[in-house]
Amino acid sequence: MRIGVPKEIKNHEYRVGLTPASVRELTARGHTVRVQAGAGEAAGLGDGQYQAAGAQIVPDAAEVFAACDLLVKVKEPQPSEQALLRAGQILFTYLHLAADPALAAALQQAGTIGIAYETVTGPGGELPLLAPMSEVAGRLAVQAGAFYLQKSQGGMGVLLGGVPGVAPAQVVILGAGTVGTQAAQMAAGLGALVTVLDTRVDRLRQLDLVWGNRVHTLFSHAQNIEEAVLGADLVIGSVLVPGARAPRLVSRALVARMKKGAVLVDVAIDQGGCFETSRPTTHAEPTFLVDGVLHYCVANMPGAVARTATQALNHATLRHVLALADQGWQQAMRDDPHLRQGLQVARGHITHAAVAHALGLDCVPAHAVLA
């Protein structure tokens, strides 16, 4: 199969779809891999490394899109890239269509086979292609929150871990999944007072067993959310519903009552965000103020640590890339029901129920498309 790796063009996105090590695995199986010049440079992966692994370096994205059957990316195609997609072409990347009806329509119109990392499942129902970036984003959320709590950055001027005789910051984390767990680990390690809210008592119990009284847990309902958020210096939103829009847990009215100079980090912004006041931002302009509360809503947080993030992502995606290349998308999905959960758009149809519901569209199930 002909596989293409374009250079990411989203604002300050430095990750790349395949590493040279992944390219080597593909070329060893007889596949042709074309990599856009400079695609991995920002992640410390030069064109020479790709050539040594057997890739062909091509000058621009147009050639990658035109010449390849399978495109392996990191972020959703931007408008200029959408115009290059064609019918029957396989796109394997993060899509987050529930929050992007325009992209969903573009993929339907192009007839592209859109397979999303974020809804590929694992044997236990986990999301193994989302997990590595969730780990990165959870840890980065605390770093970003600590940075923007500084007065010079617009925050209230609080040190996350405090000092002897001065109380540490109050950190509230909404969601005890991968992002929330990693954020709790980082925040507790820095000495903050950490509270994690979730509706899954089993997850709260696991956190309690691991962290004891270093992390406090609360069942997530409106009253507990309100009380926790009003006392918080830093709130991290990390609630995920696979394929669907993130639930909005913090209203505009509640934000208005928060401490002035508090910081909100919305890791769920790719799926629409879990604060009513959230809107996507970029690494170039990462924050904005609403009612004196600083919002950090960067939609591609792991792009800031591209070298770490690219390697972690490839470790998770490579086996699926190999399956798609070796077998073609239809046979690969017939053989692997977990990969089939990643299929969101095919032959002009939305094929994932949660995405279709979020967009208000009809769903043609993946098994029907494959039949």
Side-chain angles (χ1 to χ4, degrees), residues 5 18-28 33 35 50 53-55 314 318:
V5 183
L18 293 175
T19 63
S22 296
V23 169
R24 181 176 176 178
E25 296 295 320
L26 288 160
T27 56
V33 182
V35 178
Y50 283 103
N314 269 242
L318 178 58

Side-chain angles (χ1 to χ4, degrees), residues 35-256:
V35 178
Q36 184 179 347
E41 185 176 353
L45 306 171
D47 290 348
Q49 293 173 266
Y50 283 103
Q51 288 176 310
Q56 301 173 17
I57 304 299
V58 298
D60 55 41
E63 187 169 342
V64 174
F65 278 73
C68 296
D69 309 303
L70 167 62
L71 298 170
V72 183
K73 288 176 62 1
V74 178
K75 293 304 293 179
E76 69 281 356
Q78 302 302 293
S80 63
E81 296 173 311
Q82 294 168 23
L84 301 175
L85 293 167
R86 65 176 191 274
Q89 192 170 47
I90 307 163
L91 174 64
F92 194 33
T93 188
Y94 289 113
L95 287 175
H96 301 293
L97 295 183
D100 196 343
L103 174 58
L107 295 176
Q108 287 180 276
Q109 185 174 2
T112 303
I113 310 302
I115 307 169
Y117 294 158
E118 68 268 15
T119 54
V120 174
T121 57
E126 69 275 11
L127 303 171
L129 307 194
L130 190 61
M133 296 304 94
S134 295
E135 291 169 345
V136 171
R139 296 183 179 208
L140 276 176
V142 177
Q143 290 185 196
F147 179 71
Y148 286 105
L149 276 172
Q150 296 178 56
K151 193 66 177 178
S152 60
Q153 303 303 319
M156 63 175 63
V158 171
L159 181 64
L160 206 64
V163 292
V166 179
Q170 298 270 359
V171 177
V172 170
I173 301 169
L174 303 177
T178 302
V179 171
T181 299
Q182 295 296 319
Q185 178 181 343
M186 288 289 285
L190 289 170
L193 297 175
V194 182
T195 301
V196 180
L197 295 92
D198 203 291
T199 57
R200 298 166 296 171
V201 177
D202 59 328
R203 285 294 300 141
L204 300 179
R205 186 175 292 115
Q206 289 171 350
L207 285 177
D208 189 67
L209 288 172
V210 171
W211 290 100
N213 60 9
R214 294 187 64 189
V215 171
H216 303 284
T217 59
L218 285 174
F219 186 81
S220 183
H221 55 54
Q223 182 171 327
N224 278 345
I225 291 172
E226 179 177 339
E227 292 175 355
V229 166
L230 290 178
D233 303 304
L234 167 62
V235 182
I236 296 172
S238 64
V239 179
L240 172 71
V241 180
R245 198 198 184 287
R248 286 179 172 165
L249 301 179
V250 177
S251 68
R252 172 69 180 262
L254 184 54
V255 170

